[in-house]
Amino acid sequence: MITRFALLVHTLVACDPDNNLEVAFPEIVVEPATIDVDEVVLGTFEEFHALVRNDGRGKLVIDSAAFQVGASADFELVSFPTELGSGEEGALVIRYTPDVEGEDWATLDITNNQPENEVFPVTVTGFGVKPCIDIDPELLWFG
C-alpha cells in the first residue's frame, strides 16, 4: 500500500492589476522622515509624535526600536507600534529632555520585517535652550 502526503505551503500573495500573483511584503514609512523636536527649555521636556505607516501589502512587524550608540541620552523612546496591517498606521513617540544648552542628535533604528530594509534609520534632532524671562516694560518706576 502506497500512501501519498500532500504538502501545503501557505504563502501570502496578492494580485497586481494585471492579475499576476506576487508575494505581499510590508513597506515601512515614517513621517516626518527626520524628526526635529526644535527648541526645548532646559529642565523641561517635549514629546514628539511621528507617524509610522505600512504602505506595503503584507503585515509589518516591528521587532524593536533603539537609539544607536553615541546618541544623545536626552532622547527617550516612549512608544512605537509593533504590528501594522496593510495601510495601517501608528504613533512613534519620542521624549526630549535637554540638560545642557545646544544641539542634540540621535539616530533611531527601527528593526522590522521589510525585506532589504530590515533596519530603518530615523534621524532625531533637538536644541536645548536656557530659560529666559521677558519683562515688559523693561523699567518699572516705584515712586
Side-chain angles (χ1 to χ4, degrees):
M1 179 173 173
I2 298 175
T3 305
R4 293 187 179 185
F5 293 97
L7 177 62
L8 175 64
V9 177
H10 189 145
T11 304
L12 183 61
V13 295
C15 293
D16 66 13
D18 297 326
N19 292 322
N20 295 321
L21 293 180
E22 60 184 51
V23 177
F25 292 113
E27 182 181 343
I28 187 170
V29 175
V30 177
E31 292 180 346
T34 299
I35 299 171
D36 183 8
V37 181
D38 204 18
E39 293 183 351
V40 177
V41 175
L42 302 180
T44 66
F45 70 88
E46 290 287 331
E47 286 189 353
F48 189 87
H49 297 245
L51 178 74
V52 180
R53 187 177 62 245
N54 179 7
D55 279 354
R57 295 183 182 182
K59 179 168 65 171
L60 176 66
V61 177
I62 298 176
D63 299 314
S64 66
F67 290 108
Q68 290 181 359
V69 173
S72 171
D74 294 343
F75 293 105
E76 176 188 354
L77 179 61
V78 177
S79 64
F80 61 93
T82 55
E83 288 188 8
L84 296 172
S86 179
E88 291 183 340
E89 56 190 41
L92 170 70
V93 182
I94 294 173
R95 180 177 294 146
Y96 176 51
T97 310
D99 60 0
V100 295
E101 187 177 16
E103 185 177 25
D104 285 308
W105 65 270
T107 300
L108 179 69
D109 285 337
I110 301 174
T111 306
N112 66 89
N113 66 328
Q114 178 181 340
E116 299 179 16
N117 201 10
E118 294 174 351
V119 177
F120 189 88
V122 177
T123 301
V124 184
T125 61
F127 200 90
V129 295
K130 290 182 180 178
C132 64
I133 298 174
D134 187 20
I135 300 174
D136 189 27
E138 293 182 17
L139 181 62
L140 297 176
W141 180 257
F142 291 101

